[in-house]
Amino acid sequence: RAKEQGRAQVCFFEPGMHDQAQERLSLAQDLQSAVAGSALQIYAQPQVDGTGQLVGAELLLRWHDERRGAVPPERFIAAAEESGLISRMGSQVLHQACATLALLARRGRQLGVSVNVSPRQFRQADFVQQVRAALQGSGAPAQQLTLEVTEGLLLENWQATAERMHELVALGVRLSIDDFGTGYSSLAYLKKLPLYELKIDRSFVQDVPQDDNDAAIVRAIVAVAHHLRLHVVAEGVETQAQADFLRQHGCDALQGYLYARPLPLAQWLQSLESGPG
Ligand code: C2E
Ligand code: MG
Ligand code: MG
Ligand code: MG
């Protein structure tokens, strides 16, 4: 019966689907030249602690294509993940992060840098070796580097993922669960993995304090995190009311347009020279 349906569906193949596949292919091709050239840029978005003090930044990729204009990361990261290009892109970001940390350390600034690691990048056979080499090559302080992964990573190959996480933590780096609470994974992993941080997804932050459900979810995440001795960051903080609520309920760090939009990494580094941030 399923087979029958499957066959029937072939008849419904629409011309639009062909265009979509074509478009995905062309996106991947353009992205490939972007990675080889200099059309990909690394931006930094500051994070502050409960007192508003700068504590670090998350690095975010930006792609400005001549023809397409600014392509949203959600789109090109997915394309890069599909085509495998993500590994090269991720490795570039990782090296920039380490160079940045080494520079900050030379300037005597104790700031953290977070990078996003996609599932495919994380599962690369030599990923741990890549991180080790990036740290050693730059002299970056490992404990200031945070690797953000999403819950999706935990759905498959649990044993291998857990082992890899332990290897990474042994290098000294910190692990963070990005977009926490939006995946389909269970909470059981929280006590089993060597995590440092949970990052509350923007979708929960958006409507606090007025939405009772979101307020309850945020309070619950902070409570769970702190009971497990995990650091909690809220992302997408746009208003003072959100910030007040999050701080009042114990969020350790905040990130969002209220403090700063992502800005070119070089510009962020420059802004640090002119003041304590
Ligand atoms: P993410 O890691 O959850 O990053 C946070 C996203 O929220 C960023 O979007 C950031 O610009 C945005 N954001 C920050 N503050 C605010 C705010 O106050 N309001 C609103 N509306 N948005 C805010 P962005 O830069 O578009 O990145 C989207 C996603 O793309 C990231 O989500 C991450 O999953 C992925 N991504 C970006 N760079 C990389 C990368 O280098 N490697 C990998 N694997 N993924 C990346
Ligand atoms: Mg992130
Ligand atoms: Mg996030
Ligand atoms: Mg997000």
Side-chain angles (χ1 to χ4, degrees), residues 45 58 61-62 73 116 118 178-179 202 235-236 238 256-257 262:
Q45 185 176 36
E58 174 179 10
L61 273 170
R62 289 288 176 270
N116 296 284
S118 85
D178 200 358
D179 305 334
R202 183 165 71 85
E235 68 178 23
E238 294 183 357
Y257 295 171

Side-chain angles (χ1 to χ4, degrees), residues 122-125 127-128 160-168:
F122 186 93
R123 294 200 176 104
Q124 269 201 299
F127 181 63
V128 176
T161 303
E163 268 170 37
R164 180 148 289 197
M165 284 189 168
H166 282 283
E167 288 168 13
L168 289 164

Side-chain angles (χ1 to χ4, degrees), residues 37-236:
S38 56
L40 281 188
Q41 291 180 313
I42 297 176
Y43 275 52
Q45 185 176 36
Q47 293 182 352
V48 302
D49 69 11
T51 69
Q53 274 261 95
L54 181 76
V55 290
E58 174 179 10
L59 301 192
L60 295 159
L61 273 170
R62 289 288 176 270
W63 177 24
H64 192 92
D65 182 67
E66 260 177 35
R67 195 163 49 82
R68 302 167 190 275
V71 185
E74 268 90 359
R75 256 190 94 215
F76 73 77
I77 295 291
E81 179 89 20
E82 225 172 286
S83 68
L85 266 177
I86 192 70
S87 302
R88 239 178 102 192
M89 289 160 56
S91 141
Q92 290 179 3
V93 178
L94 184 65
H95 279 89
Q96 277 296 325
C98 288
T100 299
L101 283 171
L103 177 73
L104 291 170
R106 283 199 299 276
R107 288 191 194 161
R109 303 280 316 244
Q110 276 256 339
L111 295 170
V113 169
S114 301
V115 299
N116 296 284
V117 177
S118 85
R120 187 148 175 183
Q121 189 190 357
F122 186 93
R123 294 200 176 104
Q124 269 201 299
D126 65 344
F127 181 63
V128 176
Q129 181 48 35
Q130 275 182 42
V131 176
R132 182 186 294 117
L135 287 167
Q136 283 174 354
S138 61
Q143 69 284 358
Q144 304 294 102
L145 178 66
T146 300
L147 306 181
E148 298 185 2
V149 299
T150 49
E151 290 169 311
L153 181 69
L154 310 175
L155 296 179
E156 278 174 64
N157 305 320
W158 163 266
Q159 200 57 42
T161 303
E163 268 170 37
R164 180 148 289 197
M165 284 189 168
H166 282 283
E167 288 168 13
L168 289 164
V169 166
L171 296 179
V173 305
R174 293 166 162 177
L175 298 177
S176 172
I177 302 292
D178 200 358
D179 305 334
F180 180 74
T182 63
Y184 291 96
S185 47
S186 80
L187 286 179
Y189 74 82
L190 288 180
K191 60 172 189 188
K192 295 179 188 157
L193 297 176
L195 302 174
Y196 169 75
E197 173 184 280
L198 299 184
K199 228 171 156 175
I200 304 178
D201 189 61
R202 183 165 71 85
S203 59
F204 300 126
V205 170
Q206 219 161 14
D207 296 324
V208 294
Q210 62 284 4
D211 186 298
D212 291 341
N213 295 329
D214 286 328
I217 289 173
V218 167
R219 284 200 305 267
I221 293 177
V222 176
V224 167
H226 284 173
H227 278 298
L228 296 170
R229 298 181 193 287
L230 297 172
H231 191 249
V232 197
V233 187
E235 68 178 23

Side-chain angles (χ1 to χ4, degrees), residues 241-252:
Q242 290 168 351
D244 290 342
F245 177 88
L246 293 162
R247 238 184 285 120
Q248 195 188 325
H249 289 91
C251 261
D252 303 295

